[in-house]
Amino acid sequence: MIGDTQREFQEFWTRTAGKVRAYMYCASENWADADDMAQDCYLRALRGWGQFDGRASRQAWLFGIARRTRIDWFRRKKRESVAAGPKNSDRLSKVVPEKPSTDNIEKVWDAVGDLSAEQSQVVHLRFAAGLSYAEIAQALGVPIGTVRSRLHRGLKGIKEQIGEWDNET
Amino acid sequence: MKRDAIERLAIDSAAGELNEDAEALFRIYLAEHPPARQWAEDVSRIYERTRAAINAKTTEGYAGHETSLNKRHPVLQLKWPSFARWAAAVIFGTLIGFAAGRWQTSEKTYRMAWPEPGRNTEQVEAVSDLKDKYAGTFWADKMLALLKHKPGRQYEADFQGVRFWDRYRQYIKEKHHE
């Protein structure tokens, strides 16, 4: 029985680890931090493996854990940086370039970073993790219509941001 | 349709979230309404740019998760081929040991002598050994006296050639010691 669970979890991890890691990177923009968050996320998933009720897909369930892990991790980092003093607190502030990047990829990346937390969550889950609308809805605990709206508004925001930057340059 | 509705449908279409019928109807509508097609193309382009940018930034996550996460979390790494090799070696060794043990046991069994009916082999060996060891001594006579009270072929064989006088002397000695 334990062997089955271990094998099942191993297969699940192999299938999803890349997505989780990419999703974590979208928030931290640092692979070492993304790995820390992914580790924390999988430990939580392992602890709650037997409590999965099957109402959502396993992947959606995992990304629900990943989202909470990301939020907890940022709270902890924020507390640590506040305790460490003003010098380190800059590390957590959003890096917004004064001049827009000339690189298309960087432009879009920065534009996604400027979105609201709710919109960027949906954009990250859709593009970095490759989840379907239904899985995103399950992971965030919102209706599919809300996911659709947030993605739409998010893409509009990216478009506006890129348009502004294009006009400036 | 309003622009928002067109854009939402265009995003759903790019995401592959429209079913076949809805997709077909949407294509027909766009073909008949050029301004709507323009809005849809704009938002589809943004969708693709966003997807390409995020993929470009996070591709390393997919490429590197095997190495980076395995290095950081050895508890999740199971080397089944290595384990299988070790298990095979242990099983092979056990079988060899078992076979060797069986061979030795059967050889030993083959060399064992079967006891003859009506005759205790161990007792015969013990008595003959004692006879050799204590021949001509007081204890040899003592032993013969003890065996006198045990009927059987061995007793008879051991007392062959012992005279009556010798038996009497043995009796006197025993009496004296008592």
Side-chain angles (χ1 to χ4, degrees):
Chain A
M1 192 71 184
I2 291 169
D4 286 347
T5 304
Q6 195 174 4
R7 191 169 54 250
E8 202 182 333
F9 188 80
Q10 174 82 10
E11 285 169 7
F12 182 66
W13 176 80
T14 307
R15 204 170 64 245
T16 55
K19 293 177 182 182
V20 171
R21 201 166 172 250
Y23 173 66
M24 296 306 190
Y25 177 81
C26 288
S28 65
E29 299 188 26
N30 177 322
W31 285 115
D33 290 342
D35 286 343
D36 284 345
M37 284 193 276
Q39 178 188 16
D40 198 8
C41 171
Y42 277 103
L43 284 174
R44 289 180 185 198
L46 189 59
R47 280 192 210 112
W49 189 254
Q51 294 159 10
F52 174 64
D53 56 9
R55 278 187 294 179
S57 73
R58 272 273 187 208
Q59 189 165 257
W61 171 77
L62 176 72
F63 275 94
I65 294 170
R67 184 178 66 89
R68 289 191 292 276
T69 305
R70 215 163 82 155
I71 292 166
D72 290 348
W73 190 85
F74 268 101
R75 281 181 186 153
R76 196 168 61 239
K77 275 279 178 183
K78 201 171 179 180
R79 278 200 302 271
E80 284 171 7
S81 65
V82 168
K87 206 173 184 179
N88 285 341
S89 63
D90 291 339
R91 284 174 58 203
L92 282 176
S93 61
K94 191 73 199 171
V95 180
V96 181
E98 289 179 2
K99 286 183 180 179
S101 170
T102 51
D103 185 358
N104 264 331
I105 291 171
E106 292 300 327
K107 268 187 191 175
V108 175
W109 185 254
D110 292 340
V112 172
D114 283 347
L115 296 175
S116 71
E118 289 176 343
Q119 290 167 9
S120 63
Q121 281 276 6
V122 173
V123 169
H124 291 158
L125 287 169
R126 174 68 210 168
F127 296 108
L131 300 192
S132 67
Y133 285 179
E135 286 176 322
I136 295 170
Q138 286 165 353
L140 299 179
V142 296
I144 289 182
T146 307
V147 173
R148 199 173 261 134
S149 297
R150 286 179 188 175
L151 185 62
H152 175 230
R153 283 201 297 272
L155 289 174
K156 270 184 91 170
I158 293 166
K159 187 187 168 197
E160 284 166 14
Q161 190 72 269
I162 291 170
E164 280 177 26
W165 286 342
D166 284 344
N167 292 336
E168 283 176 25
T169 52
Chain B
M1 276 197 280
K2 288 182 180 176
R3 182 170 183 166
D4 263 13
I6 297 294
E7 285 178 346
R8 282 174 190 236
L9 283 169
I11 291 167
D12 292 348
S13 172
E17 295 277 349
L18 283 183
N19 63 40
E20 282 183 20
D21 293 341
E23 181 78 37
L25 285 171
F26 184 55
R27 292 285 158 208
I28 291 167
Y29 183 85
L30 292 183
E32 291 173 357
H33 299 81
R37 192 174 65 230
Q38 187 59 47
W39 298 332
E41 281 173 1
D42 284 352
V43 81
S44 296
R45 205 176 300 117
I46 289 294
Y47 182 95
E48 283 306 315
R49 277 182 76 174
T50 307
R51 188 188 58 76
I54 291 178
N55 279 0
K57 293 287 272 188
T58 58
T59 302
E60 195 186 322
Y62 289 88
H65 88 272
E66 283 291 338
T67 51
S68 65
L69 285 180
N70 272 344
K71 276 180 190 168
R72 295 168 72 83
H73 318 304
V75 70
L76 295 173
Q77 189 181 25
L78 298 173
K79 292 182 176 176
W80 288 106
S82 169
F83 174 76
R85 277 200 299 273
W86 276 105
V90 168
I91 290 166
F92 181 72
T94 307
L95 286 174
I96 291 289
F98 182 71
R102 282 280 298 200
W103 179 73
Q104 280 196 340
T105 307
S106 61
E107 191 179 57
K108 198 172 180 179
T109 306
Y110 178 72
R111 287 186 296 186
M112 280 172 70
W114 290 99
E116 288 177 25
R119 181 181 172 121
N120 190 333
T121 310
E122 287 177 11
Q123 189 187 353
V124 169
E125 283 176 0
V127 169
S128 59
D129 289 347
L130 287 170
K131 274 176 74 180
D132 292 342
K133 195 173 179 181
Y134 298 104
T137 64
F138 164 79
W139 290 110
D141 297 335
K142 178 76 173 172
M143 181 183 67
L144 289 172
L146 287 170
L147 287 170
K148 184 181 176 183
H149 300 286
K150 290 187 178 179
R153 286 185 291 168
Q154 178 59 35
Y155 170 76
E156 294 297 331
D158 286 345
F159 269 79
Q160 275 179 3
V162 179
R163 291 175 300 175
F164 178 76
W165 180 243
D166 290 329
R167 292 187 191 184
Y168 177 70
R169 284 180 63 193
Q170 181 62 31
Y171 173 73
I172 295 297
K173 282 181 182 176
E174 284 179 11
K175 269 294 203 188
H176 176 71
H177 282 288
E178 280 173 4

